Amino acid sequence: MKPVTFNHAMQLAVLRIGVALTILAKILVEFDQLDMLFSQHGIIQDVLTKPLDVSYALSLPKVIEFFGIRNEHLFLTGLYAVFGLAACFLLFGLYTKISTFICLLIHLMVFNGYNLLAFGFDGFLFTLLFYTLIFPVQKVFSLDQLMSKKVQTIVPERLNLYLRVLQIHLCIVYFTAGFSKLGGQEWMNGTAIWQAINQPQFYTDLTPFVKALASYPWVSALLTWGTLAVELFFPLLIWVKWGKMQAFVLIGVLLMHVFIGAAMGLQMFAWIMIVFDLSAFGGILFKWSNQLFLAIFDRKSNAYEEEISGLNGCRN
Amino acid sequence: MKDKLLKGFLFFHLCIVVLGSGLMKFSDNKVFDGLMLRYSSWTGGGFGYSFFSPNVGNQTVVKTYTLIGHKTLKQDAFGTGRDILDCRFSSVLHTFRNHKAYELMSRVVASYIFAKYPNAGPTYISIGEYMPPTMSEYRLSRKKNQFREICNGTYTYK
């Protein structure tokens, strides 16, 4: 019997490492602009944040007001330094739970305080950080696991449950994205991709090339309906254990995100979606896992490998 | 027991994800919406996933023309995805599509411009969208997108 569980446990490592790298990339691009983005003297000022403020959510403006912080620049710089440090710890799996909690807390404060500035990317980072906090990501491919004196185990049924949650969530995301486009004229007549690549916001070095291609109606229609098909049928076809169907579907959706990142300049969004895809279904592709660094499983039950390979929808 | 609690919570979480996804319209109830917002503001579950739908539409862009020292005209643009600040600014512009919000954002842009150019004179702010050419027009002559103004205003410091 193949050691199928290692492939799937690897998905938890992908979740942790992918999320940590995303946060580091976010810090890298935002660090120079913190005052403009997230201070009361930036592009979103009191006049906009106050009416949208809600009492139940922890937010950055509320924290600043509560502690009477006068030097917002210093506070934001310090906050992002802590954010970066926690993300580095998360990347290597050192004090994983504490570092995840710090990352989640800072991200939710910024997100709740400045959600007018938020993209889809921020929402997905929030979601994945929450899963990183509640799933045992510290038990796989981490320094916590290497330094632990006790043998750390992941119960196969639990691992299966965690992966199932990620998988169902991802299927809901794609199906909703596809379904909501069904009534749209541009998506139906095949011009949505032409429309999207013509927006100045999505201009990249590849834009002239992609525009030249998509100016042929059949190319634009192919890309538009291809996107629609991937989003609508991914939640169904990813479960079909027929030939290489699952790998084909997963690679299809990964390529769609690579296209979004390269041709439309939405690299951060593309990256977080690739992390989500691989965390949920990456076991289909990970055949090379190094067992030395992976979690030590509860091997009391001889049937656990079959159980996991059968339940979590991945063919090995 | 612990296992049942965990399963119950994860099932509840996925239910919230479905309810908040926008796939189905369940209720216009304020209590329901409030509960959803409370849950999503702490867990990140329950956001909508309707990207670029029902149509891609045209993204809003802000152009400014600022007179510096009575002789030089500086042009700036916001919402063109130049850097992270610009991308996030675009997100605000696209959230509200009404005249009052455009006017409010114009004031924010004006304050940014006056901070950027301390000796700036009046600045003309034009909010609009770029209309793409048809595919055949682009193939024949590489026709550029046309800017269509929606709202404008002139602002001065003081």
Coordinates of all heavy atoms in Angstrom, one line a residue, chain A residues 166-215:
Chain A
L166 N -11.4 22.5 3.9 CA -10.8 23.3 2.9 C -11.3 23.1 1.5 O -11.6 24.0 0.8 CB -9.3 23.1 2.9 CG -8.4 23.6 4.1 CD1 -7.0 23.1 4.0 CD2 -8.4 25.2 4.0
Q167 N -11.5 21.8 1.2 CA -12.0 21.4 -0.1 C -13.4 21.9 -0.4 O -13.7 22.5 -1.4 CB -12.0 19.9 -0.2 CG -10.6 19.3 -0.3 CD -10.5 17.8 0.0 OE1 -11.5 17.2 0.4 NE2 -9.4 17.3 -0.3
I168 N -14.3 21.8 0.6 CA -15.7 22.2 0.4 C -15.7 23.8 0.3 O -16.4 24.3 -0.5 CB -16.6 21.7 1.6 CG1 -16.7 20.2 1.5 CG2 -18.0 22.4 1.5 CD1 -17.5 19.6 2.7
H169 N -14.9 24.4 1.2 CA -14.9 25.9 1.1 C -14.4 26.4 -0.3 O -15.0 27.3 -0.9 CB -13.9 26.4 2.2 CG -14.0 27.9 2.4 ND1 -13.8 28.5 3.7 CD2 -14.4 28.9 1.6 CE1 -14.0 29.8 3.6 NE2 -14.3 30.1 2.3
L170 N -13.4 25.7 -0.8 CA -12.9 26.1 -2.1 C -13.9 25.9 -3.2 O -14.1 26.7 -4.1 CB -11.6 25.3 -2.4 CG -10.8 25.8 -3.7 CD1 -10.3 27.2 -3.5 CD2 -9.7 24.8 -4.0
C171 N -14.6 24.8 -3.1 CA -15.7 24.5 -4.1 C -16.8 25.5 -4.0 O -17.3 25.9 -5.1 CB -16.2 23.1 -3.9 SG -15.1 21.8 -4.3
I172 N -17.1 26.0 -2.8 CA -18.1 27.0 -2.7 C -17.6 28.3 -3.4 O -18.4 29.0 -4.1 CB -18.5 27.3 -1.2 CG1 -19.1 26.1 -0.6 CG2 -19.4 28.5 -1.0 CD1 -19.2 26.1 1.0
V173 N -16.4 28.6 -3.2 CA -15.8 29.8 -3.7 C -15.9 29.8 -5.3 O -16.4 30.7 -5.9 CB -14.3 30.0 -3.3 CG1 -13.6 31.1 -4.2 CG2 -14.1 30.3 -1.9
Y174 N -15.4 28.7 -5.9 CA -15.5 28.6 -7.3 C -16.9 28.6 -7.9 O -17.2 29.3 -8.9 CB -14.7 27.4 -7.8 CG -13.2 27.7 -7.8 CD1 -12.3 26.8 -7.1 CD2 -12.6 28.7 -8.5 CE1 -11.0 27.1 -7.0 CE2 -11.3 29.0 -8.4 CZ -10.4 28.1 -7.7 OH -9.1 28.4 -7.7
F175 N -17.7 27.8 -7.3 CA -19.1 27.7 -7.8 C -19.8 29.1 -7.7 O -20.5 29.5 -8.6 CB -19.9 26.6 -7.1 CG -21.2 26.4 -7.7 CD1 -21.3 25.7 -8.9 CD2 -22.4 26.8 -7.2 CE1 -22.5 25.5 -9.6 CE2 -23.6 26.6 -7.8 CZ -23.6 25.9 -9.0
T176 N -19.6 29.8 -6.6 CA -20.3 31.1 -6.4 C -19.7 32.1 -7.5 O -20.5 32.8 -8.1 CB -20.0 31.7 -5.0 OG1 -20.3 30.7 -4.0 CG2 -20.8 32.9 -4.8
A177 N -18.4 32.0 -7.7 CA -17.8 32.9 -8.6 C -18.3 32.7 -10.0 O -18.6 33.6 -10.8 CB -16.3 32.8 -8.6
G178 N -18.5 31.4 -10.4 CA -19.0 31.0 -11.7 C -20.5 31.3 -11.8 O -20.9 31.9 -12.8
F179 N -21.2 30.9 -10.8 CA -22.7 31.1 -10.9 C -23.1 32.5 -11.0 O -24.0 32.9 -11.7 CB -23.3 30.4 -9.6 CG -24.8 30.3 -9.6 CD1 -25.4 29.4 -10.4 CD2 -25.6 31.2 -8.9 CE1 -26.8 29.3 -10.4 CE2 -26.9 31.1 -8.9 CZ -27.6 30.1 -9.7
S180 N -22.4 33.4 -10.2 CA -22.8 34.8 -10.2 C -22.5 35.5 -11.6 O -23.0 36.5 -11.9 CB -22.0 35.6 -9.1 OG -20.6 35.4 -9.3
K181 N -21.7 34.9 -12.4 CA -21.4 35.4 -13.7 C -22.4 35.0 -14.8 O -22.4 35.6 -15.9 CB -20.0 35.0 -14.2 CG -18.8 35.5 -13.4 CD -17.5 35.0 -13.9 CE -16.3 35.7 -13.1 NZ -16.0 35.0 -11.9
L182 N -23.2 34.0 -14.5 CA -24.1 33.4 -15.5 C -25.0 34.4 -16.1 O -25.3 34.3 -17.3 CB -24.8 32.2 -14.9 CG -24.1 30.9 -14.9 CD1 -24.9 29.8 -14.3 CD2 -23.6 30.5 -16.3
G183 N -25.5 35.4 -15.4 CA -26.5 36.3 -16.0 C -25.8 37.5 -16.7 O -26.5 38.3 -17.4
G184 N -24.5 37.6 -16.5 CA -23.8 38.8 -17.1 C -23.7 38.7 -18.6 O -23.2 37.7 -19.2
Q185 N -24.0 39.8 -19.3 CA -24.0 39.9 -20.7 C -22.6 39.6 -21.3 O -22.4 38.9 -22.2 CB -24.5 41.3 -21.2 CG -24.9 41.3 -22.6 CD -25.1 42.8 -23.1 OE1 -25.1 43.7 -22.3 NE2 -25.3 43.0 -24.3
E186 N -21.6 40.3 -20.6 CA -20.2 40.1 -21.1 C -19.7 38.7 -21.0 O -19.0 38.2 -21.9 CB -19.3 41.1 -20.4 CG -19.5 42.5 -20.7 CD -18.8 43.4 -19.6 OE1 -18.1 42.9 -18.7 OE2 -19.0 44.7 -19.7
W187 N -20.1 38.0 -20.0 CA -19.7 36.6 -19.8 C -20.4 35.7 -20.8 O -19.9 34.7 -21.2 CB -19.9 36.1 -18.4 CG -19.0 36.8 -17.4 CD1 -19.2 37.9 -16.6 CD2 -17.6 36.5 -17.2 NE1 -18.1 38.2 -15.9 CE2 -17.1 37.4 -16.3 CE3 -16.8 35.5 -17.7 CZ2 -15.8 37.3 -15.8 CZ3 -15.4 35.4 -17.3 CH2 -14.9 36.3 -16.4
M188 N -21.7 36.1 -21.1 CA -22.5 35.2 -22.0 C -22.0 35.4 -23.4 O -22.0 34.4 -24.2 CB -24.0 35.5 -21.8 CG -24.6 35.1 -20.5 SD -24.6 33.4 -20.2 CE -23.2 33.1 -19.2
N189 N -21.7 36.7 -23.8 CA -21.4 36.9 -25.2 C -19.9 36.7 -25.5 O -19.4 37.0 -26.6 CB -21.9 38.2 -25.8 CG -21.2 39.4 -25.1 OD1 -20.2 39.3 -24.5 ND2 -21.9 40.6 -25.2
G190 N -19.1 36.3 -24.5 CA -17.7 36.0 -24.7 C -16.7 37.2 -24.7 O -15.6 37.0 -25.3
T191 N -17.2 38.3 -24.2 CA -16.3 39.5 -24.3 C -15.7 39.9 -23.0 O -15.0 40.9 -22.9 CB -17.0 40.7 -24.9 OG1 -18.2 41.0 -24.1 CG2 -17.5 40.5 -26.3
A192 N -16.0 39.2 -21.9 CA -15.6 39.6 -20.6 C -14.1 39.7 -20.5 O -13.6 40.7 -19.8 CB -16.1 38.6 -19.5
I193 N -13.3 38.8 -21.0 CA -11.9 38.8 -20.9 C -11.3 40.1 -21.7 O -10.4 40.7 -21.2 CB -11.2 37.5 -21.4 CG1 -11.6 36.4 -20.5 CG2 -9.7 37.6 -21.5 CD1 -11.1 36.4 -19.1
W194 N -11.9 40.3 -22.9 CA -11.5 41.5 -23.6 C -11.7 42.8 -22.8 O -10.9 43.7 -22.7 CB -12.3 41.6 -24.9 CG -12.2 42.9 -25.7 CD1 -13.1 43.9 -25.8 CD2 -11.0 43.3 -26.4 NE1 -12.6 44.9 -26.6 CE2 -11.3 44.6 -26.9 CE3 -9.7 42.7 -26.6 CZ2 -10.3 45.3 -27.7 CZ3 -8.8 43.5 -27.4 CH2 -9.1 44.7 -27.9
Q195 N -12.9 42.8 -22.1 CA -13.2 44.0 -21.3 C -12.2 44.1 -20.1 O -11.8 45.2 -19.8 CB -14.7 43.7 -20.7 CG -15.2 44.9 -19.9 CD -15.6 46.1 -20.8 OE1 -15.9 45.9 -22.0 NE2 -15.7 47.2 -20.2
A196 N -11.9 43.0 -19.5 CA -11.0 43.0 -18.3 C -9.6 43.4 -18.7 O -9.0 44.3 -18.0 CB -11.0 41.6 -17.7
I197 N -9.1 42.9 -19.8 CA -7.7 43.2 -20.1 C -7.5 44.7 -20.6 O -6.4 45.2 -20.8 CB -7.0 42.2 -21.1 CG1 -7.8 42.1 -22.4 CG2 -6.8 40.9 -20.4 CD1 -7.1 41.4 -23.4
N198 N -8.7 45.3 -20.9 CA -8.6 46.7 -21.4 C -8.7 47.7 -20.3 O -8.7 48.9 -20.5 CB -9.8 46.9 -22.4 CG -9.3 46.6 -23.8 OD1 -8.5 47.4 -24.4 ND2 -9.8 45.5 -24.4
Q199 N -8.9 47.2 -19.0 CA -8.9 48.1 -17.9 C -7.5 48.6 -17.5 O -6.6 47.7 -17.4 CB -9.6 47.5 -16.7 CG -11.0 47.0 -17.0 CD -11.9 48.1 -17.5 OE1 -11.9 49.2 -17.0 NE2 -12.7 47.8 -18.5
P200 N -7.3 49.9 -17.4 CA -6.0 50.4 -17.1 C -5.4 49.8 -15.8 O -4.2 49.6 -15.7 CB -6.2 51.9 -17.0 CG -7.6 52.2 -16.9 CD -8.3 51.0 -17.5
Q201 N -6.3 49.4 -14.9 CA -5.9 48.9 -13.6 C -5.1 47.6 -13.8 O -4.3 47.2 -12.9 CB -7.1 48.7 -12.7 CG -6.7 48.5 -11.3 CD -7.9 48.0 -10.5 OE1 -9.0 47.8 -11.0 NE2 -7.7 47.7 -9.2
F202 N -5.5 46.8 -14.8 CA -4.9 45.5 -15.0 C -3.8 45.5 -16.1 O -3.5 44.4 -16.6 CB -6.0 44.5 -15.4 CG -7.1 44.5 -14.4 CD1 -8.5 44.5 -14.8 CD2 -6.9 44.4 -13.0 CE1 -9.5 44.5 -13.9 CE2 -7.9 44.4 -12.1 CZ -9.2 44.4 -12.5
Y203 N -3.2 46.7 -16.4 CA -2.2 46.7 -17.4 C -0.9 46.1 -16.9 O -0.4 46.4 -15.8 CB -2.0 48.2 -17.8 CG -1.1 48.3 -19.1 CD1 -1.6 48.3 -20.3 CD2 0.3 48.3 -18.9 CE1 -0.8 48.3 -21.5 CE2 1.1 48.4 -20.1 CZ 0.5 48.4 -21.3 OH 1.3 48.4 -22.4
T204 N -0.3 45.2 -17.7 CA 1.0 44.6 -17.4 C 1.8 44.6 -18.7 O 1.3 45.0 -19.8 CB 0.9 43.1 -16.9 OG1 0.4 42.3 -18.0 CG2 0.0 43.0 -15.7
D205 N 3.1 44.1 -18.6 CA 3.9 44.1 -19.8 C 3.3 43.1 -20.8 O 3.6 43.2 -22.0 CB 5.3 43.6 -19.4 CG 6.0 44.7 -18.6 OD1 5.6 45.8 -18.7 OD2 7.0 44.3 -17.9
L206 N 2.5 42.2 -20.3 CA 1.9 41.2 -21.3 C 0.7 41.7 -21.9 O 0.2 41.0 -22.9 CB 1.6 39.9 -20.5 CG 2.7 38.9 -20.2 CD1 2.2 37.7 -19.4 CD2 3.3 38.4 -21.5
T207 N 0.1 42.8 -21.5 CA -1.2 43.3 -22.0 C -1.2 43.4 -23.5 O -2.1 43.0 -24.1 CB -1.6 44.6 -21.2 OG1 -1.6 44.3 -19.8 CG2 -2.9 45.0 -21.7
P208 N -0.2 44.1 -24.1 CA -0.3 44.3 -25.6 C -0.4 42.9 -26.3 O -1.2 42.8 -27.3 CB 1.0 45.0 -25.9 CG 1.4 45.7 -24.7 CD 1.0 44.8 -23.6
F209 N 0.4 41.9 -25.8 CA 0.3 40.6 -26.5 C -1.0 40.0 -26.3 O -1.6 39.5 -27.2 CB 1.5 39.8 -25.9 CG 1.4 38.3 -26.3 CD1 1.7 38.0 -27.6 CD2 1.1 37.3 -25.4 CE1 1.7 36.6 -28.0 CE2 1.0 36.0 -25.7 CZ 1.3 35.6 -27.1
V210 N -1.5 40.0 -25.0 CA -2.8 39.3 -24.7 C -3.9 40.1 -25.5 O -4.9 39.5 -26.0 CB -3.1 39.3 -23.2 CG1 -4.4 38.6 -22.9 CG2 -2.0 38.6 -22.5
K211 N -3.8 41.4 -25.5 CA -4.9 42.2 -26.3 C -4.9 41.9 -27.7 O -5.9 41.7 -28.3 CB -4.6 43.7 -26.1 CG -5.4 44.3 -25.0 CD -5.0 45.8 -24.8 CE -5.9 46.7 -25.6 NZ -5.8 48.1 -25.1
A212 N -3.7 41.7 -28.3 CA -3.6 41.3 -29.7 C -4.3 40.0 -30.0 O -5.0 39.8 -31.0 CB -2.1 41.3 -30.2
L213 N -4.1 39.1 -29.1 CA -4.7 37.7 -29.2 C -6.2 37.8 -29.0 O -7.0 37.3 -29.8 CB -4.1 36.8 -28.2 CG -2.8 36.0 -28.5 CD1 -2.5 35.2 -27.3 CD2 -3.0 35.2 -29.7
A214 N -6.6 38.5 -27.9 CA -8.0 38.5 -27.5 C -8.8 39.4 -28.4 O -10.1 39.4 -28.3 CB -8.2 38.9 -26.0
S215 N -8.2 40.2 -29.3 CA -9.0 41.0 -30.2 C -9.6 40.2 -31.3 O -10.4 40.7 -32.1 CB -8.1 42.1 -30.8 OG -7.1 41.5 -31.6

